[in-house]
Amino acid sequence: MHISGEHVFTAPRETVWARLSDTEVLQACIPGCEDVVRLSETEFFAMVLVDMGPEKIRFSGDFVLSEITPLIYCAISGKGNGGAAGFAKGAIQIRLHDLGVAGTRLSYQVQAKVGGKLEQLGQSLIESASEAFAAAFLKTFTTHFSDVT
């Protein structure tokens, strides 16, 4: 599965970059997130309860930041175990574009794969749920810039 998109924030690139790696902000913005723990500068552990159509699945897993160009780009790879429901793994490329006084444009590309019983839900349902997940994250993440002028 592949999804991509972009979003403009009315905050400087430095602020967007900092909040993308703030565990408290991530926990507040990731839909269904129950916990995010920083294991090192680039490694995290998370627990997330995800709505996948008729199913609610609790995933626990790790994600790692790599290919980091501060304030501009990073890649994130991760895998999550959903118990009897199966697994999810994927990679995200995030790029920040400085728009000057207009703020920052975040563009992203996601490659993901699910296995186990999750595959039985169908590709279109999984893609739809993934796009809704990304939209919900960006909507909530936007609220974390109201203090920036």
Side-chain angles (χ1 to χ4, degrees), residues 65-136:
L65 308 179
S66 62
E67 302 177 37
I68 299 167
T69 303
L71 305 177
I72 297 172
Y73 177 86
C74 78
I76 304 168
S77 59
K79 58 185 176 195
N81 184 337
F87 69 89
K89 64 180 179 178
I92 306 169
Q93 290 81 42
I94 296 173
R95 185 170 302 276
L96 299 180
H97 308 269
D98 187 356
L99 301 177
V101 295
T104 303
R105 183 176 68 236
L106 179 149
S107 58
Y108 63 92
Q109 293 187 359
V110 179
Q111 293 283 336
K113 178 173 177 37
V114 297
K117 290 183 181 178
L118 284 172
E119 284 182 295
Q120 297 170 3
L121 293 176
Q123 189 70 19
S124 64
L125 180 60
I126 292 169
E127 284 183 17
S128 176
S130 298
E131 289 171 353
F133 189 87

Side-chain angles (χ1 to χ4, degrees), residues 4-52:
S4 61
E6 60 181 40
H7 190 83
V8 174
F9 299 98
T10 58
R13 184 167 53 180
E14 296 81 6
T15 304
V16 175
W17 182 265
R19 293 187 183 169
L20 280 171
S21 63
D22 181 320
T23 56
E24 289 181 19
V25 172
L26 290 175
Q27 185 169 343
C29 295
I30 296 171
C33 187
E34 297 172 343
D35 198 16
V36 176
V37 178
R38 181 184 295 273
L39 304 174
S40 73
E41 282 299 309
T42 58
E43 298 172 286
F44 298 81
F45 170 81
M47 295 216 38
V48 181
L49 185 62
V50 178
D51 280 327
M52 288 292 235

